[in-house]
Amino acid sequence: MQTFKTGAVQANGIRFQFLEAGQGPLALCLHGFPDSPWSYRYLLPELAQAGYRAVAPFMRGYAPSEVAADGRYDTGTLAADAVALHEALGATGQAVLIAHDWGCAAAYGAAAQAPQRWRRCAFMSVPPLAVFGELALGYAQIKRSFYFWFFQMQLADAILAANDLAFIDELWADWSPGHDARDDLPHAKDCLRDPANLRAVLGYYRSLFDPARFGSHAGMQEQVAAWGRPVPQATLYLHGMNDGCIALDARSAEGVPAWLGPGSEVELVEGVGHFMLVEKPARINQRILQFLGRAA
């Protein structure tokens, strides 16, 4: 197993722990659910070799990063985390932003709210809010997204924790069909074994998909402000054609470029599912590095 330097930094009221490789302009790598920075274990060394300081933080609430004392896990706070991490890590405008799954919600917001901080972006598996919102209300996606609503129940805490977090094994199997996740699941589960961390991470869903607010005018305005504005940077967007979490087809993908900056690229990647970074690392790494270019 690859080893990395580890570190910690205070940002936006949270003590973030992170994995790190290399020196140079910052490449901030944000993970999603149910996942950990270890899904970047193949990409971090490649970024380092290309001249970046690659940093993959454990997102707020994911052990060993802190649980938020104020209980804030809304998308606006996640975007503010990414901006604050850029500041705390002493980065410049040559930084690049890489994100997967929930990390994308933070990254879309951070890229739009603080465009001077990021040179280029690469996002995976969650399209821009407007495209995601259109998909989320269709029958096919509602079936895939059952857990949005299931996680609103307090009973979800106990069910997820049962049998060594076996629920997470099933999500990975559904979302990346055929992928052997034996090297991935232990890292993801280690972030969630403490009930406080599990409750914190479910807070992401309980904030965004609160049935009392989701889809309301006020709720949608909050989401647009947080991560629904166009990203001005040139951005690479990748989505697996076998993704069992969010099914983005060619027609829906046509709507993605309108929300990304000039010079952006969108690709539906054959032969991978949701967790593409660990399914086909050589292929995905090459695509991301090719787009980002060498560090300045």
Side-chain angles (χ1 to χ4, degrees):
M1 178 65 70
Q2 178 76 42
T3 59
F4 298 100
K5 292 191 294 182
T6 60
V9 68
Q10 193 78 18
N12 199 27
I14 294 288
R15 186 72 171 172
F16 287 93
Q17 305 284 337
F18 57 80
L19 307 179
E20 179 180 12
Q23 295 181 343
L26 176 67
L28 186 63
C29 303
L30 305 177
H31 71 84
F33 170 88
D35 206 354
S36 81
W38 286 98
S39 281
Y40 285 102
R41 64 186 179 273
Y42 302 111
L43 181 59
L44 294 179
E46 297 292 330
L47 288 166
Q49 187 174 356
Y52 292 97
R53 179 192 181 190
V55 175
F58 293 81
M59 300 286 278
R60 68 166 48 213
Y62 285 79
S65 287
E66 287 184 337
V67 170
D70 60 5
R72 292 286 300 273
Y73 297 99
D74 58 277
T75 49
T77 297
L78 299 180
D81 284 349
V83 174
L85 282 163
H86 181 286
E87 180 73 21
L89 292 165
T92 70
Q94 291 301 308
V96 296
L97 186 55
I98 303 168
H100 177 257
D101 190 81
W102 266 102
C104 289
Y108 284 119
Q113 293 169 26
Q116 73 282 2
R117 294 183 182 270
W118 318 101
R119 180 176 62 83
R120 283 199 161 204
C121 305
F123 301 154
M124 293 161 279
S125 303
V126 172
L129 175 62
V131 177
F132 173 71
E134 184 176 308
L135 291 171
L137 300 180
Y139 180 74
Q141 187 58 46
I142 289 171
K143 286 198 299 182
R144 289 181 172 85
S145 301
F146 76 95
Y147 58 98
F148 290 1
W149 323 116
F150 171 62
F151 287 171
Q152 304 306 315
M153 298 189 291
Q154 293 303 314
L155 182 62
D157 298 57
I159 291 177
L160 262 73
N163 301 317
D164 189 33
L165 295 158
F167 193 98
I168 291 176
D169 298 56
E170 300 296 341
L171 286 181
W172 271 72
D174 283 347
W175 294 358
S176 283
H179 172 61
D180 182 350
R182 73 182 72 183
D183 291 332
D184 308 299
L185 288 165
H187 294 297
K189 291 180 178 183
D190 284 346
C191 294
L192 306 177
R193 292 190 190 283
D194 188 307
N197 294 110
L198 181 58
R199 186 164 53 250
V201 171
L202 290 178
Y204 287 51
Y205 291 92
R206 290 168 178 166
S207 175
L208 179 55
F209 301 108
D210 175 2
R213 293 182 60 76
F214 184 73
S216 70
H217 178 72
M220 288 307 300
Q221 289 299 107
E222 288 176 5
Q223 297 310 314
V224 169
W227 65 292
R229 291 182 287 174
V231 171
Q233 298 87 352
T235 299
L236 172 67
Y237 181 73
L238 302 176
H239 201 101
M241 294 186 70
N242 297 339
D243 192 324
C245 177
I246 298 175
L248 184 74
D249 59 21
R251 185 195 65 80
S252 297
E254 291 176 356
V256 174
W259 298 93
L260 307 178
S264 294
E265 300 176 13
V266 176
E267 182 178 342
L268 296 178
V269 186
E270 294 185 3
V272 297
H274 191 68
F275 297 101
M276 64 177 70
L277 283 159
V278 293
E279 292 178 69
K280 301 289 184 183
R283 181 177 173 191
I284 301 304
N285 292 352
Q286 181 183 30
R287 188 69 179 89
I288 290 173
L289 289 163
Q290 178 187 48
F291 182 80
L292 295 178
R294 296 187 64 84

